Structures are given as C-alpha cells and as structure tokens.
Amino acid sequence: MWSIIAWPFGKILYFCYLLVKNYGWALFLFTLIIKLIMLPSSVKQQISTEKMNRLNPKIEAIKKKYANNQDKLNEATMELYNQENVNPMGSCLPTLITFVLLFAIIEVVYAPLSYIGNDITSDALDAAEEMVTDVYAVSSEISEHETTVSEILAENTNLYDILLEYKAEDGSDLADYSDERLEELAGYFEEYNDSYNNNGEMIGLDEYFLDSNLVSSRLVATSNRAQLLVISVSQDFPDMFDSSLVKFCSDFDYTFLGVELGDYPSWSSALILIPILSLALQLLLTFLSQYFTKKKGGAATSGSMKAMLYAMPLISFWIAFSFPAGIGIYWIFSSLLSLVQTVGLNLYLTPARVDKIIAKDNEKAKKKRKKKSIYQQALEAQQAELAGKQRKSYDDDDDDDENVSEEVKLSRAQKKEAERNTLNEARRRYAEKYGDSIDEE
C-alpha cells in the first residue's frame, strides 16, 4: 500500500535529484516543495485555529447549559459551528497529511533505486535484492556453526556439501533454498574468499556481510530495505550484479554532508546527533507554537493536549533513531521549515488581517447556504436521530398504556368515585347541620 502512495512523491524526489545530483539535498528540495504545496492548507489551519479560539467562550457556555444532556450539547455545538462557519476538524488534516508523507518518505528512502534508478530494470533490481538477502542468510548460517568460509576451504572441504549438510538440519535457515541456489551461492563465496581488503586485512564474503560496520542486519529485515545494502555491496563486489545497476550505484550520491543516508544512528556513532537534533527542533517548534497561541489569547491547552504536543518530539527522536539517517535528516528539514513557516504565518496573520479573512469567509458561506455543508448534513442527521429517539420513547409509552389496560383504567374510575363520594358525604353533613337539602351527583 505504501509503495502506491510513495510513487508520486518518489517521482518528485527523482526530479529534485536530477537538479542537484545529491540525495540529501534532493530531500531538502523535496521537503521545501511539499511545504509550499501545503502552504494554503497551513494558512487555513491557522485561520481555523483562530476561529476555534474565538468560539471557546460560547462553547463553554453551551457545555454549562447542557451539562446533563449530551444529545442537546452535541446538537447545539454543531449548530454553533455551522452558524460561525467553523470546521472543528480543519486543524487535523495537515497533521494527517504530515504522517502520510512521513511513511511515504520512509518507503522512498528505503528503496531509492526503485524511484531514482530509472535505467535499472525491475528484474535486475529484484535479482540484486535477492542476492544480498541470500548471501547474508548463508553467511549467518555459517557463522552459527562457529566457522568461516576460509576455514572450511582451508580443510579442502567442498563448501557446497557443507551447505547441504546445514540445510538438512532441523530449523535451518537454509531449508527453503533449492540445491541449485545453494550451489550458485557457494560459487560466489569461493570466488570472493579473501578478496576484500578491509583496513589492510583480507576478509571473505561471509565475514564482510557479518561486519556490522559494513552491513547492518536491519537492512535485510525486508526486501525493500535490502536496496540500501545493494548500493554499497555492488561497489565492493560488482560481478555479483547487473552491469547497469553497478554503474548507476557508482554514480549515485546517497549522502548528505558526508553522511551515508542508509546508515543507522547508534549511541556509539556521530549519527546520534541526527535524532538529538530532531528532538531539539521539535521541542522548539512546540514551545514556539504555544508562545504564539498564548500571545493571541488562545485557550489554555488541556493536559491531554499538552501530553500529545510534547510526545511528538519524543516520537521524532524514536523515528530518527530507529530508521536510516535519511529519515532523520528529512525530519530535521521538515522541522526547520515548519519553524520558519510558524514564525512567518504568525507575523503575517495579524488580528486585523484575520478579522478580514474571517469576514470574507463568512460572506462566502452565506452565499453558499443553499448547498449544505458536511456539518449541516451531520447536524440534520443528528437531529433526525434525536427525533427518532423521542418517537421511540413516545411509542414505548403508548405500548405501556395499552398493557396497563383494564386494571389501571378501573383504578382511575375508582379514584373518581371515591372523590365523588367524599364530596357528597361532606355536603350531607352540611345539610344536616343547617337543615338544607342537597342533590348528590
């Protein structure tokens, strides 16, 4: 699903990359373009927030008036929104879009070759992802037996036969591999044994894949993450991949200021600065938003809302720490541009300008009264539901009256008869006392 949503954003990112030829700066340009596209929506969100702030006294009055009648409270609140041309959900849409964008960017950052590498065929890309995934699986299996390819070959043992033995064991990770595929992979391990120079030391293909400084196990968790591994492995072992893919990866600049965007932050690396900076910028954005809200006389933020506001910086830290550096850098770009936007909008949308915009919006709303808004429709639906409840209540009362039947009717007649007898008795006593005559009812 996310690949479908990510496709249009991937194409925008592709054109950004064509302009700057660097994935990090392409991410910045992409974030700027998205912010500009979203600017009208952000302005509407700001106006909607201002309208809600101005309505708060009326809403509080409604809450007090209908404190014991939830149906009336909801009806009166929605009626107020309709009269004042306010959409209470207007401030939620940009937040929702932000999260959709984030997950789309995660997809694009994990699979840059799918969106940037237009010259790479899907078959070549699938084969490359399968190759690094399979090589990692075989390397892990060999390591679990506390040996290396170099040690196996040093004993003049056939590596393919050893892999078949591993495959036959219960619970082996190689159980799903065909014999033909294992034979092919054994050939690669033999060909590249002691062929890679790492800091002056010769290591084999299996040792290369198990070196956490070169290969992150998190990059083979799912197939699309393996693309980040393909970019680096294809440069060290080019003969294992399609030539067009190798050429693209050699020209592809997947960095930002010297940082490999496919690397993961950790407490022991300088990349930890990425999630820390992301956290700091999100906190600053939260404080700044609260400052402008109070400055404009907005209602005090509730405890639950404050918790959400201050949870966002922690979420940004977790995202930047748990995903490749490219995601954290995108989040930093987004926070920086959001800071600029927040300051700019609050300076531009002065109280006088907001008054004019609200008055203009209200005038437009009056002209469109014939066309029912979604909140008018919701209000009518709620009124119909309330009327239905009342009708049901009346019907239930009628049913009760019918069931009471003769016994209840009789008791009512007896009551009237008792009242009449009491009245006649009082008249009789009066007549006896004063010598008058009376006619009983």
Side-chain angles (χ1 to χ4, degrees):
M1 180 189 74
W2 287 114
S3 59
I4 296 175
I5 298 175
W7 186 84
F9 298 112
K11 290 305 175 185
I12 295 175
L13 191 55
Y14 167 70
F15 288 114
C16 292
Y17 181 81
L18 289 181
L19 289 175
V20 294
K21 297 297 181 182
N22 175 273
Y23 204 80
W25 285 113
L27 271 177
F28 176 79
L29 188 57
F30 168 84
T31 311
L32 179 61
I33 291 172
I34 295 300
K35 284 291 183 183
L36 290 174
I37 292 174
M38 291 292 297
L39 185 58
S41 177
S42 298
V43 173
K44 287 183 179 180
Q45 178 190 15
Q46 190 91 353
I47 297 297
S48 178
T49 301
E50 185 65 30
K51 286 181 178 180
M52 288 296 296
N53 287 336
R54 297 184 181 191
L55 281 185
N56 276 330
K58 294 182 179 180
I59 292 174
E60 290 300 320
I62 290 174
K63 287 180 179 179
K64 290 180 180 178
K65 184 176 181 180
Y66 300 110
N68 299 321
N69 191 329
Q70 189 62 41
D71 289 333
K72 280 289 186 181
L73 173 62
N74 294 337
E75 182 182 347
T77 303
M78 293 184 72
E79 182 64 30
L80 177 63
Y81 289 151
N82 184 46
Q83 291 175 355
E84 299 293 337
N85 189 34
V86 172
N87 182 354
M89 303 300 292
S91 60
C92 298
L93 182 60
T95 303
L96 178 62
I97 293 176
T98 298
F99 275 97
V100 171
L101 274 174
L102 175 62
F103 284 104
I105 286 297
I106 289 175
E107 175 70 21
V108 174
V109 168
Y110 268 137
L113 302 181
S114 296
Y115 301 97
I116 307 298
N118 281 7
D119 296 333
I120 305 173
T121 65
S122 59
D123 289 342
L125 188 54
D126 290 342
E129 292 174 356
E130 183 182 7
M131 176 62 73
V132 295
T133 303
D134 291 351
V135 170
Y136 183 84
V138 173
S139 300
S140 299
E141 186 71 26
I142 293 173
S143 176
E144 287 178 7
H145 287 79
E146 299 181 353
T147 186
T148 65
V149 171
S150 297
E151 293 174 351
I152 294 173
L153 296 179
E155 297 175 357
N156 293 320
T157 305
N158 188 292
L159 179 59
Y160 172 55
D161 291 338
I162 295 296
L163 294 182
L164 290 179
E165 291 179 13
Y166 293 165
K167 176 183 176 180
E169 296 176 356
D170 291 337
S172 173
D173 292 336
L174 304 183
D176 295 331
Y177 286 84
S178 66
D179 293 353
E180 292 77 9
R181 181 56 173 168
L182 289 179
E183 184 177 15
E184 182 182 0
L185 292 170
Y188 283 115
F189 280 100
E190 291 173 353
E191 179 182 353
Y192 288 106
N193 185 52
D194 294 337
S195 63
Y196 180 75
N197 190 305
N198 178 37
N199 295 327
E201 297 179 359
M202 302 299 290
I203 62 175
L205 183 61
D206 59 320
E207 296 171 276
Y208 172 92
F209 267 77
L210 296 177
D211 187 338
S212 59
N213 294 319
L214 300 172
V215 174
S216 171
S217 60
R218 288 186 281 185
L219 294 181
V220 290
T222 59
S223 59
N224 67 341
R225 298 186 184 186
Q227 286 194 21
L228 302 182
L229 198 53
V230 168
I231 294 172
S232 58
V233 176
S234 65
Q235 302 309 296
D236 296 324
F237 304 99
D239 294 341
M240 294 169 56
F241 305 94
D242 182 84
S243 59
S244 62
L245 183 145
V246 174
K247 183 179 185 306
F248 177 84
C249 290
S250 65
D251 298 332
F252 183 46
D253 189 356
Y254 194 62
T255 65
F256 179 71
L257 301 179
V259 175
E260 287 288 338
L261 299 182
D263 291 345
Y264 281 77
S266 68
W267 294 106
S268 59
S269 73
L271 293 183
I272 190 61
L273 294 175
I274 292 176
I276 290 175
L277 184 57
S278 177
L279 171 66
L281 287 173
Q282 278 291 311
L283 280 173
L284 181 58
L285 182 59
T286 299
F287 291 144
L288 198 62
S289 299
Q290 289 291 291
Y291 166 76
F292 281 116
T293 298
K294 292 179 181 178
K295 184 178 179 181
K296 292 188 175 183
T301 306
S302 64
S304 58
M305 197 64 179
K306 276 186 178 180
M308 284 187 60
L309 286 173
Y310 290 102
M312 281 302 299
L314 296 176
I315 292 174
S316 71
F317 179 87
W318 175 79
I319 290 174
F321 188 80
S322 304
F323 291 90
I327 302 298
I329 288 176
Y330 163 75
W331 197 267
I332 288 172
F333 289 156
S334 181
S335 298
L336 278 172
L337 293 175
S338 293
L339 280 169
V340 174
Q341 178 179 281
T342 299
V343 174
L345 285 181
N346 280 279
L347 291 178
Y348 173 75
L349 295 174
T350 60
R353 185 170 276 116
V354 169
D355 288 340
K356 291 181 180 179
I357 294 174
I358 292 177
K360 189 176 180 180
D361 288 346
N362 291 339
E363 188 64 29
K364 288 181 180 179
K366 288 179 182 178
K367 294 179 180 179
K368 294 181 180 179
R369 287 295 181 187
K370 293 182 179 180
K371 183 178 180 182
K372 296 178 182 179
S373 69
I374 186 171
Y375 282 95
Q376 285 176 312
Q377 296 174 25
L379 178 60
E380 290 179 1
Q382 188 177 45
Q383 289 172 336
E385 182 181 357
L386 184 59
K389 290 180 180 179
Q390 292 173 341
R391 282 196 300 272
K392 186 176 184 303
S393 177
Y394 295 151
D395 291 342
D396 290 342
D397 289 343
D398 290 342
D399 291 341
D400 291 342
D401 288 343
E402 291 175 3
N403 292 332
V404 169
S405 67
E406 297 300 326
E407 182 179 348
V408 175
K409 291 177 181 176
L410 182 60
S411 64
R412 289 176 180 171
Q414 289 174 336
K415 184 178 180 181
K416 289 182 179 179
E417 181 65 21
E419 290 175 352
R420 192 160 46 243
N421 291 338
T422 302
L423 179 61
N424 288 335
E425 180 64 19
R427 288 177 176 176
R428 187 181 61 78
R429 291 176 181 176
Y430 182 87
E432 289 177 352
K433 182 176 181 180
Y434 296 99
D436 291 337
S437 63
I438 60 168
D439 294 327
E440 294 184 357
E441 292 182 350

